[in-house]
Amino acid sequence: MKRKITLKHIARELEVSISTVSKALKNSEEISRDTKEKIQAFAKLYNYKPNNIAISLKNKRTKNIGLIIPDIIHHFFTTVFRGVEKYANMRGYNVIACISDESFDKEVINMEMLANGSIDGFIMALSAETQLKNDFNHLKEVTEQGIPLVLFDRITDEINCDKVIINDEEAAYQAVVKLIKDGRRKIALITTESYFNVSEKRSQGYFRALREHQIAVDENLVLRLPYQYEEEQQSAEFFASREIDAVLCVNEIFAIKCMRHAKKNGYSIPEDISFIGFTDGILSKYSTPRLTAVAQHGEKMGEVAAQLLIDKIESEVDEEEETFKTEILEATLVERESTIN
Amino acid sequence: MKRKITLKHIARELEVSISTVSKALKNSEEISRDTKEKIQAFAKLYNYKPNNIAISLKNKRTKNIGLIIPDIIHHFFTTVFRGVEKYANMRGYNVIACISDESFDKEVINMEMLANGSIDGFIMALSAETQLKNDFNHLKEVTEQGIPLVLFDRITDEINCDKVIINDEEAAYQAVVKLIKDGRRKIALITTESYFNVSEKRSQGYFRALREHQIAVDENLVLRLPYQYEEEQQSAEFFASREIDAVLCVNEIFAIKCMRHAKKNGYSIPEDISFIGFTDGILSKYSTPRLTAVAQHGEKMGEVAAQLLIDKIESEVDEEEETFKTEILEATLVERESTIN
DNA sequence: AGGTATAACGAAACCGTTTTCGTGTTAATA
DNA sequence: TATTAACACGAAAACGGTTTCGTTATACCT
């Protein structure tokens, strides 16, 4: 077993001081050509690589970023992860990924674990429970310690930091407008039971579209489902008992499940009923019929978040009076088979 | 901004030595009750938390593990990640996740980046390119340095380390036997073009099942597709031009795409043709018809891999004469709508 | 009184780097 | 010959902890 070699070993072996070795390997002008060549050759021979931990301790920079996402079953978050990882890697950073499992406690624990020196900054989307409790002290503590934080998608106004979101309200609005233009009038909204800022925004867009097109809102056409629901009776009953000619779902799993119920109740898609879902994930692409979806561009979102974060980490801005941006990405409607034309 | 407080700060403030503070916070018997209480109270008040990096440097343990996966679009790998993260967290470890993107170079770069002190061990599945090149020097170097390594799913015999796999050959065999028992005779195999140890094993199981049931192998019924294929003409033509009554696919994306082609060619599933796919991922659950699949239990696999790794990290085995295990997990067939009964 | 045990704390080494600030040697200059 | 500048290198502090090994001071024993 070839143990890792350190500066000390090289110094001892070549009978010079540690500082000389360090400088020689950095090609410092201070050291003579001869010595530098000797040391560099030796280092290459024994495959010397500086110890990251020691360097981190020295310059108080880990080159790690912490990513905290609520879950990994929603394809959107995995694509964000992809984007973060890709961009971070490009800039020489590694990603420590944690899954909060939609739990407030796990979110707190993960943050605390990482906040003690393991990372240079955080990227995160709030867990369901955190949005519910409306408790952001863990975020406050972190930012007060001067650790940069970027929130994406599931954000809050309570915290002052960089943010990346899509124009959820507008995207939902446009989606519903499309349905209306296709001649649909009985448009249902399927959203989450508990509070998410994104569901909320999307619902607002839905209502605005109806309002602006003089279509009365029918509360019977709004279905609120538990976020991770297994029991499907609510949605099954919904489609069995109402007249609906279009549906907007705030995520793709809702959409896929509901298309099934619609089909089971004799609807044919998209002739009798249109479906549009949020999050253009893997399910949308492969469902039958393929789902028309609002693409959230998760990968792009991840890249932007990572860029904001790393820029902040590497900028030497004077503590106070720093300024925070909120990047709003454009969602786009990907038309497939579940809507007309 | 409240900067992080260190032992030194506490020591200076309370006019004791750093060592005393350190010991007091560990509740050492060496320190008097009075001093301990005073120090502990002060530490709590200022929310002292030891710096992870410093501790890592001291005990040469980072409590991080490196996970390298080929991609994140195949649901299987994200579930493995889930399992690793969950188990690792339980044991107080964090996961640094890297995506090799099926590229040899990225795999090498990622490993080298992490191998210099950032992690205590690796968990990984080989990239497609690595399996193709058959070049495992980066793995050898890492293990020679005494860094524990656990390979899962995409493994190689060339490297001596702990491994976690499923019984791919047997699972494929059982799947095909089920098809035969259902009365199928013209059973197609859809596998990857390039070499993967898993595809290979699964194919072997397919052939063995046919052989043992006296069904002649028809090479026309074996389709080899590029791993990440977008062009679908090959598979479309396959279903247009052959008589097939059952299909075994080595991954779920192949299966979903091929079910489409089959339907388009007038087959009805499962009456005319049965489908079984590998990897019981999210697509299998939500496809129409729902896909009968061989569950690889990715999450379990991740947990087992993480356990093997952490156990090895924390065991103080004498360098030489250590022993490596290969855990073989049982795959199970999840029967859904794409097969009879 | 002399010796010893014990309690309570501090000094210093160490982990592996980087970096500042000497210091000794040689060569050039006055 | 004395001074100085340049060169090439080393010592030591620092990052933030842990841990070993003293070192006092006091109490106890004979």
Side-chain angles (χ1 to χ4, degrees), chain A residues 197-228:
Chain A
N197 63 320
V198 286
S199 307
E200 191 56 31
K201 293 273 184 206
R202 291 165 196 174
S203 300
Q204 285 168 12
Y206 164 84
F207 288 119
R208 180 162 67 90
L210 295 188
R211 213 168 44 234
E212 291 189 5
H213 290 78
Q214 282 80 37
I215 298 178
V217 170
D218 179 355
E219 271 296 333
N220 276 318
L221 292 186
V222 177
L223 176 62
R224 290 167 214 280
L225 294 174
Y227 183 59
Q228 303 200 20

Side-chain angles (χ1 to χ4, degrees), chain A residues 190 225 229 239 247-261 269 275-278 284 287 291-292:
Chain A
I190 303 189
L225 294 174
Y229 77 123
F239 283 93
V247 183
L248 177 71
C249 299
V250 300
N251 65 49
E252 74 172 349
I253 294 189
F254 283 4
I256 302 296
K257 288 190 173 174
C258 288
M259 283 208 294
R260 242 178 197 272
H261 294 132
I269 309 172
F275 273 87
I276 297 184
F278 259 79
S284 308
S287 63
L291 181 67
T292 293

Side-chain angles (χ1 to χ4, degrees), chain A residues 121-320:
Chain A
F122 283 107
I123 295 178
M124 71 183 290
L126 299 170
S127 79
E129 229 189 323
T130 306
Q131 293 214 320
L132 247 171
K133 291 187 70 164
N134 223 28
D135 180 346
F136 307 110
N137 283 315
H138 50 309
L139 303 191
K140 282 218 180 78
E141 279 200 15
V142 155
T143 52
E144 274 175 10
Q145 279 173 31
I147 302 179
L149 166 67
V150 176
L151 287 176
F152 72 92
D153 194 61
R154 306 243 205 104
I155 66 174
T156 173
D157 291 338
E158 305 273 318
I159 297 288
N160 235 316
C161 65
D162 288 333
K163 290 160 194 171
V164 190
I165 49 174
I166 61 164
N167 53 349
D168 281 292
E169 200 268 356
E170 177 66 17
Y173 174 84
Q174 293 295 350
V176 174
V177 166
K178 184 222 168 354
L179 294 171
I180 294 172
K181 288 214 173 117
D182 288 348
R184 307 305 190 178
R185 284 298 174 274
K186 292 166 188 160
I187 305 173
L189 169 69
I190 303 189
T191 182
T192 54
E193 195 179 60
S194 49
Y195 176 80
F196 287 107
N197 63 320
V198 286
S199 307
E200 191 56 31
K201 293 273 184 206
R202 291 165 196 174
S203 300
Q204 285 168 12
Y206 164 84
F207 288 119
R208 180 162 67 90
L210 295 188
R211 213 168 44 234
E212 291 189 5
H213 290 78
Q214 282 80 37
I215 298 178
V217 170
D218 179 355
E219 271 296 333
N220 276 318
L221 292 186
V222 177
L223 176 62
R224 290 167 214 280
L225 294 174
Y227 183 59
Q228 303 200 20
Y229 77 123
E230 289 303 322
E231 315 264 325
E232 311 208 358
Q233 35 191 53
Q234 268 190 78
S235 41
E237 188 229 348
F238 187 80
F239 283 93
S241 64
R242 285 167 183 73
E243 274 196 27
I244 307 170
D245 60 15
V247 183
L248 177 71
C249 299
V250 300
N251 65 49
E252 74 172 349
I253 294 189
F254 283 4
I256 302 296
K257 288 190 173 174
C258 288
M259 283 208 294
R260 242 178 197 272
H261 294 132
K263 283 192 282 186
K264 206 167 286 171
N265 280 291
Y267 287 98
S268 72
I269 309 172
E271 291 76 12
D272 305 334
I273 190 170
S274 297
F275 273 87
I276 297 184
F278 259 79
T279 309
D280 178 36
I282 199 161
L283 287 174
S284 308
K285 248 180 241 118
Y286 293 110
S287 63
T288 334
R290 303 188 212 253
L291 181 67
T292 293
V294 178
Q296 290 187 79
H297 305 295
E299 186 160 340
K300 176 77 180 163
M301 204 157 185
E303 286 175 33
V304 172
Q307 179 172 9
L308 281 174
L309 183 68
I310 296 179
D311 283 351
K312 180 132 294 177
I313 289 172
E314 296 186 349
S315 81
E316 301 294 342
V317 176
D318 290 328
E319 331 256 305
E320 314 302 322

